[in-house]
């Protein structure tokens, strides 16, 4: 126990402090009670039990059931393909510009392959001609429509429309497997197929590209294109 002659100089700073004894030495001490009530800013925050929730929403839906099918994500939509096919089969049906403006090449590729197969069944192996004429025609129509339309023209859209409108020519080629088209009936059917394909293609182009007063100008190059396919089918 310290005597009365001992004098202490005490200094308090926060929860720690120090004092000077009678011999001039500095002695530090620690206040435990106050230190427990004081929070260290560098201590880690305690776990609150809350689960992390992402701030961004899902792209296609809240649940996996709302997500589109895999084929739709790959650009293959059978419902849109069926609607485009019906639009071609019915030339007087108004075309849906939002659907026709899609770059869908699945249907056109299938129609081109089917046309080559039907020609081969008729004894005419013209796969190279079908693909070559299709590629050159798509490029030519793309350039022509880009010059005629004030809207932006997509090469994939042009190829999609020309490919879907090849369906009446495919029917004519399938008919040629069982019946010769080198006659009056064959000529009438060939002209009907050309007009059918060309009218459907021009109708879709003017609906998609807002060219309602230029259907005849679009009809003419389409008729030249499908006329080449008719020559492959008939002769």
């Amino acid at each position: 126990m310290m005597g009365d002659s001992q004098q202490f100089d005490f200094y308090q700073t926060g929860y720690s402090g120090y004092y000077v004894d009678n011999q001039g030495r500095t002695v530090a001490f620690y206040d435990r009670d106050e230190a427990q009530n004081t929070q260290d800013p560098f201590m880690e925050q305690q776990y609150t039990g809350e689960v992390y929730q992402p701030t961004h929403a899902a792209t296609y839906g809240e649940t996996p059931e709302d997500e589109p099918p895999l084929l739709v994500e790959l650009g293959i939509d059978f419902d849109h393909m069926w609607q485009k096919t019906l639009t071609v089969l019915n030339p007087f049906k108004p075309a849906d510009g939002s659907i026709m403006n899609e770059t869908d090449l699945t249907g056109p590729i299938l129609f081109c392959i089917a046309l080559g197969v039907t020609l081969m069944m008729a004894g005419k192996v013209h796969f190279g001609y079908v693909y070559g004429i299709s590629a050159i025609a798509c490029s030519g129509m793309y350039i022509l429509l880009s010059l005629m339309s004030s809207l932006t023209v997509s090469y994939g859209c042009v190829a999609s429309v020309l490919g879907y409108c090849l369906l009446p020519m495919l029917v004519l080629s399938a008919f040629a497997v069982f019946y010769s088209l080198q006659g009056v009936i064959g000529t009438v059917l060939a002209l009907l197929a050309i007009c059918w394909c060309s009218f459907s293609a021009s109708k879709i182009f003017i609906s998609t590209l807002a060219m309602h007063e230029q259907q005849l100008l679009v009809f003419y190059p389409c008729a030249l294109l499908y006329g080449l396919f008719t020559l492959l089918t008939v002769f």
Side-chain angles (χ1 to χ4, degrees):
M1 180 176 181
M2 297 182 182
D4 296 337
S5 60
Q6 293 179 336
Q7 296 180 354
F8 300 93
D9 294 332
F10 177 77
Y11 303 93
Q12 180 75 22
T13 57
Y15 56 81
S16 62
Y18 64 92
Y19 64 90
V20 181
D21 60 5
N22 58 341
Q23 297 180 359
R25 293 178 300 180
T26 302
V27 181
F29 79 97
Y30 186 79
D31 190 352
R32 295 183 179 180
D33 295 334
E34 188 173 355
Q36 291 178 356
N37 298 327
T38 306
Q39 182 178 4
D40 189 352
F42 298 100
M43 294 178 61
E44 295 183 357
Q45 296 181 355
Q46 296 182 354
Y47 175 65
T48 59
E50 297 181 356
V51 180
Y52 171 74
Q53 298 291 338
T55 56
H56 64 277
T59 304
Y60 294 106
E62 296 293 338
T63 61
E65 290 77 7
D66 297 334
E67 295 183 358
L70 179 60
L71 292 178
V72 175
E73 293 183 354
L74 295 176
I76 303 175
D77 193 339
F78 290 104
D79 181 56
H80 287 185
M81 292 173 61
W82 176 247
Q83 293 183 19
K84 294 177 183 179
T85 302
L86 293 179
T87 303
V88 174
L89 292 178
N90 185 7
F92 301 101
K93 178 183 178 181
D96 188 354
S98 61
I99 296 179
M100 292 302 172
N101 201 24
E102 297 177 350
T103 305
D104 174 23
L105 298 179
T106 305
I109 291 176
L110 293 178
F111 289 161
C112 287
I113 295 176
L115 179 60
V117 171
T118 54
L119 289 176
M120 184 178 62
M121 293 177 62
K124 307 168 185 178
V125 184
H126 294 325
F127 283 99
Y129 288 105
V130 172
Y131 297 145
I133 293 175
S134 299
I136 296 175
C138 291
S139 300
M141 285 297 299
Y142 171 74
I143 296 174
L144 180 62
L145 293 175
S146 298
L147 297 175
M148 295 176 60
S149 176
S150 59
L151 302 179
T152 303
V153 182
S154 172
Y155 183 86
C157 175
V158 174
S160 178
V161 172
L162 292 179
Y164 274 103
C165 293
L166 196 63
L167 183 58
M169 197 61 57
L170 177 59
V171 176
L172 179 65
S173 179
F175 183 79
V177 176
F178 306 100
Y179 186 82
S180 177
L181 297 178
Q182 296 182 4
V184 178
I185 298 179
T187 303
V188 173
L189 292 177
L191 292 176
L192 179 61
I194 293 174
C195 294
W196 195 341
C197 295
S198 304
F199 185 80
S200 298
S202 61
K203 176 195 64 176
I204 296 174
F205 280 133
I206 65 173
S207 299
T208 305
L209 302 176
M211 302 167 56
H212 299 284
E213 298 179 357
Q214 300 176 345
Q215 184 171 4
L216 291 179
L217 297 178
V218 180
F219 179 88
Y220 177 70
C222 293
L224 295 179
L225 166 62
Y226 295 112
L228 294 178
F229 285 112
T230 303
L231 294 177
L232 295 178
T233 305
V234 175
F235 300 102

